Amino acid sequence: MIRKAVIPAAGYGTRFLPATKSQPKEMLPVVDTPTIEYVVREAIDAGIRDILMIIGRGKRSIEEHFGRNVELEDQLIAKQKTAELESIRTLPDDVRIHFVWQNEQNGLGDAISHARDHVGNEPFAVLLGDTIVESFEERPIIRQIMDVYQEHQEVVLALEEVDPQHVSSYGIVGGEPIDERTWRIDRMIEKPTLSEAPSRLAVASRYVLPPEIFQALDMTTPGKGGEIQLTDAIRILLADRSIYGYRINGVRHDIGNKLDFLKTSVLFGLKHGDISDEFRGWLVDLVAGWGER
Ligand code: G1P
């Protein structure tokens, strides 16, 4: 059973400067909720109650966000602002969020290696803190991945097909399909050129990893960008175990990327209770009048 989730939130948001100069990219709001809260909710909805966040310099507001603000709660209670109160009390009481500090930003693999003491000797889920992955079914995306783990008890990676011009931005896998969505993976390469890429199936921000990943990370030397890459560590595991990929039933929104951020804000705004009708009307008018601008 998967009991723990690790959410790395330690990377610089260089693709989103200047907004991320002094605030974490994971705190960028989509409509009214910080990105990382969507990620935490995904883990909670999948049944996980123990969450470890890997943070670093400039990321303290994440810690504050997930702590209680009793003074603000008291004010909202006094003013009978129930909806607002609910909005800041979203975590069930039995959920524990822990933090570990990464001194140097040395890649996703290095960030994950900071989870070793907390995770111990059990498999765990990984959800990248700057990416919302929206599910098209009732099961959250990480639950889809955990269910494949339950069946095979091996590494499972969320996969999403990307356009050829984007393969060089992702970890790309090669392998054979074993059913409509599940793949047995035999190759992985971090940010390949199009000609090196074994497919267009990209690792999509969610993983289930066994504790052996920590030994593999110890053996991993700096890869793409001179950083310790998680993809390279998983490839080490390929030598003596099977790795599965699951083509998610959903869509990934990479909030650290300006264009994706805007598109996600529009999509989520259109579905957001308070504002959806007015926003939809405004958007329709905007698009209708586009030619006149
Ligand atoms: C990371 C991983 C990459 C993966 C991507 C999206 O890259 O290294 O393998 O495909 O996340 O999940 P980053 O976007 O942090 O450069």
Side-chain angles (χ1 to χ4, degrees):
M1 198 171 92
I2 309 291
R3 299 186 312 122
K4 295 180 179 175
V6 173
I7 302 184
Y12 296 117
T14 41
R15 290 173 300 163
F16 219 124
L17 285 167
T20 48
K21 185 177 168 205
S22 67
Q23 75 163 326
K25 58 180 169 173
E26 295 81 6
M27 286 299 288
L28 290 169
V30 173
V31 188
D32 54 6
T33 302
T35 298
I36 196 162
E37 189 174 319
Y38 291 94
V39 178
V40 166
R41 283 192 206 155
E42 180 188 336
I44 292 173
D45 291 347
I48 286 171
R49 289 292 175 270
D50 181 315
I51 295 171
L52 176 73
M53 294 188 184
I54 320 286
I55 59 168
R57 226 151 57 84
K59 304 275 181 170
R60 286 217 187 271
S61 58
I62 297 178
E63 253 181 298
E64 287 229 11
H65 182 75
F66 290 102
R68 276 184 68 183
N69 183 341
V70 178
E71 225 171 283
L72 176 60
E73 287 181 22
D74 286 348
Q75 272 197 32
L76 295 173
I77 292 167
K79 292 182 178 153
Q80 297 184 333
K81 296 200 164 187
T82 327
E84 289 82 351
L85 183 65
E86 290 287 299
S87 80
I88 61 164
R89 276 184 176 169
T90 48
L91 300 188
D93 287 341
D94 58 347
V95 170
R96 293 284 170 274
I97 301 196
H98 310 267
F99 297 89
V100 66
W101 192 259
Q102 184 190 24
N103 276 325
E104 259 181 277
Q105 301 193 353
N106 198 16
L108 181 58
D110 182 56
I112 296 298
S113 70
H114 284 70
R116 184 194 298 241
D117 289 346
H118 184 87
V119 162
N121 197 27
E122 53 182 294
F124 60 103
V126 173
L127 300 88
L128 303 194
D130 62 356
T131 307
I132 299 172
V133 196
E134 197 185 344
S135 181
F136 292 159
E137 60 182 72
E138 203 146 300
R139 287 181 309 163
I141 297 293
I142 194 64
R143 183 78 245 173
Q144 297 175 21
I145 303 306
M146 286 159 65
D147 286 349
V148 181
Y149 177 83
Q150 284 311 119
E151 198 182 330
H152 297 283
Q153 307 280 321
E154 290 287 0
V155 172
V156 189
L157 314 170
L159 299 178
E160 188 183 60
E161 196 162 312
V162 295
D163 291 336
Q165 70 269 31
H166 293 143
V167 295
S168 61
S169 302
Y170 297 99
I172 301 288
V173 303
E176 293 295 324
I178 55 174
D179 64 35
E180 202 197 328
R181 291 198 175 272
T182 318
W183 286 63
R184 184 171 284 127
I185 291 169
D186 56 26
R187 270 161 300 161
M188 285 184 78
I189 170 162
E190 181 67 11
K191 304 196 169 78
T193 61
L194 189 53
S195 58
E196 289 168 330
S199 76
R200 293 202 282 120
L201 284 173
V203 179
S205 313
R206 303 292 184 261
Y207 311 70
V208 170
L209 300 173
E212 289 76 18
I213 193 68
F214 296 115
Q215 285 95 54
L217 282 164
D218 285 343
M219 293 158 65
T220 304
T221 50
K224 267 274 144 63
E227 296 186 332
I228 304 295
Q229 296 294 348
L230 183 58
T231 300
D232 295 341
I234 297 172
R235 202 178 39 237
I236 293 175
L237 294 181
L238 254 179
D240 49 21
R241 54 199 302 166
S242 302
I243 294 182
Y244 292 87
Y246 185 77
R247 237 172 15 83
I248 54 170
N249 184 22
V251 61
R252 199 178 49 89
H253 305 289
D254 174 6
I255 303 303
N257 161 319
K258 278 175 250 195
L259 186 61
D260 255 20
F261 171 78
L262 282 174
K263 288 180 185 172
T264 311
S265 299
V266 170
L267 286 172
F268 281 44
L270 286 170
K271 286 190 265 185
H272 197 276
D274 300 354
I275 56 165
S276 61
D277 288 348
E278 209 176 325
F279 183 52
R280 186 181 304 272
W282 174 83
L283 199 60
V284 167
D285 288 349
L286 179 78
V287 173
W290 201 246
E292 293 153 28
R293 283 171 183 251

